[in-house]
Amino acid sequence: MSPLTSLTRLAPLALAFATAPLMAENAAPAAPAAPAQLVFQNGRSIPLSSVDIAQDKVLIKTAADGFSAGQSFPLTAVSHVFGDRPAGLNQAIALLLFDRHKEAIDLLEPLLAAHRVSAKIPGNFWIESARTLLVCYALTGDAARCTQLGKDISDATPPQGSDPFVSLGKALLMPASVSPEDRDVSLKDLMADEMPADVAAYASFYRSRLLKEQKKNAEALQALLAVPCLYPSGGLILNAAAEIHASDLLASLSRRDEATHLINSALRVAQGTILIEEGNKRLESM
């Protein structure tokens, strides 16, 4: 199938996605984010900031919610992490996708430190934050930190072995001296059906950059539209960023109505991020 044929098939899907009714979970929370809590099997909970975990035990560092400092519990007594998505995580992802890597890293590194204790507990926010930071390190060429963080993520998700984001990091770390064809193959391999949606979405997003550098704008647009159309569960902010970048290519083709639809779709889920600024800037220029 040719890129233009694929693009023709993806474009209506992108517009349908852009105009679909929002689910309630897509709306920005009105209240400040609630701090993460460690929830025990018996229903009791304690702020994540009050605990530490060592040798498969939960250690109470500071007294809180009926727990006393110095108490310890087996890790098996923990059910899950509960709380709102950390403030700053969506912004960090948006900054990453608009090449503001240092700002993204400055938000993510303290977030990782604060949530590190919960890395192996269901419902944690550490894994997504760490995977986002791994992409940042890869794109800035920090191979050492990228490799170490990949090991930490894999250790936190032992049933699956090496985390798929490790392969994404390796593909993004490839230097410019590697041929565009080889870099393209590495990213396309990560878009296979068996890959997690977020890995495939990131791979398609950054493959669009590579294609655009080669002046293959039709294929670059196809790769961007694939993010919300083929891998929508990869992440709302990732979808929105892809839509805004796709709008640039659509506008260059004088397809301004479609570009406007995509930007408006992105703005509906972009609260609290630079995507608001980026989207509005484009709307004003059209």
Side-chain angles (χ1 to χ4, degrees), residues 97-278:
L97 298 170
F98 278 83
D99 301 323
R100 292 164 63 171
H101 304 128
K102 183 182 184 304
E103 294 171 78
I105 291 171
D106 287 345
L107 285 175
L108 289 166
E109 287 183 338
L111 199 161
L112 252 68
H115 287 263
R116 183 67 181 91
V117 66
S118 66
K120 295 184 179 182
I121 299 172
N124 74 81
F125 296 105
W126 185 86
I127 294 292
E128 183 182 3
S129 303
R131 287 168 171 163
T132 306
L133 184 56
L134 182 149
V135 175
C136 286
Y137 286 154
L139 292 170
T140 55
D142 195 335
R145 287 187 179 184
C146 185
T147 300
Q148 182 57 57
L149 188 53
K151 290 178 180 177
D152 293 342
I153 295 170
S154 297
D155 288 344
T157 56
Q160 65 182 20
S162 180
D163 191 85
F165 268 79
V166 172
S167 297
L168 177 63
K170 290 178 180 177
L172 295 176
L173 274 167
M174 286 185 174
S177 57
V178 176
S179 71
E181 291 77 16
D182 287 343
R183 283 184 284 158
D184 186 64
V185 168
S186 294
L187 290 170
K188 286 177 71 175
D189 286 346
L190 295 171
M191 295 161 59
D193 290 344
E194 64 270 17
M195 282 292 171
D198 49 359
V199 172
Y202 271 112
S204 192
F205 181 90
Y206 285 108
R207 181 170 176 260
S208 75
R209 297 289 184 86
L210 182 61
L211 292 165
K212 193 173 179 181
E213 289 171 6
Q214 300 173 73
K215 310 298 183 185
K216 298 178 180 179
N217 287 352
E219 292 177 71
L221 179 56
Q222 178 189 348
L224 286 169
L225 294 176
V227 175
C229 293
L230 302 183
Y231 318 113
S233 61
L236 290 175
I237 300 301
L238 183 48
N239 292 341
E243 288 172 335
I244 292 175
H245 283 293
S247 76
D248 291 338
L249 290 171
L250 286 168
S252 71
L253 296 171
S254 297
R255 294 165 62 178
R256 289 182 174 80
D257 285 347
E258 294 165 87
T260 299
H261 279 303
L262 289 183
I263 294 171
N264 284 329
S265 171
L267 292 176
R268 294 158 73 197
V269 299
Q271 294 85 352
T273 74
I274 61 162
L275 299 186
I276 295 290
E277 173 190 347
E278 293 291 341

Side-chain angles (χ1 to χ4, degrees), residues 37 40 44-52 59-73:
Q37 300 271 327
F40 290 88
R44 295 181 67 189
S45 62
I46 186 171
L48 198 61
S49 57
S50 296
V51 306
D52 200 354
L59 310 175
I60 309 301
K61 298 189 300 181
T62 56
D65 298 338
F67 292 93
S68 301
Q71 283 185 289
S72 66
F73 302 89

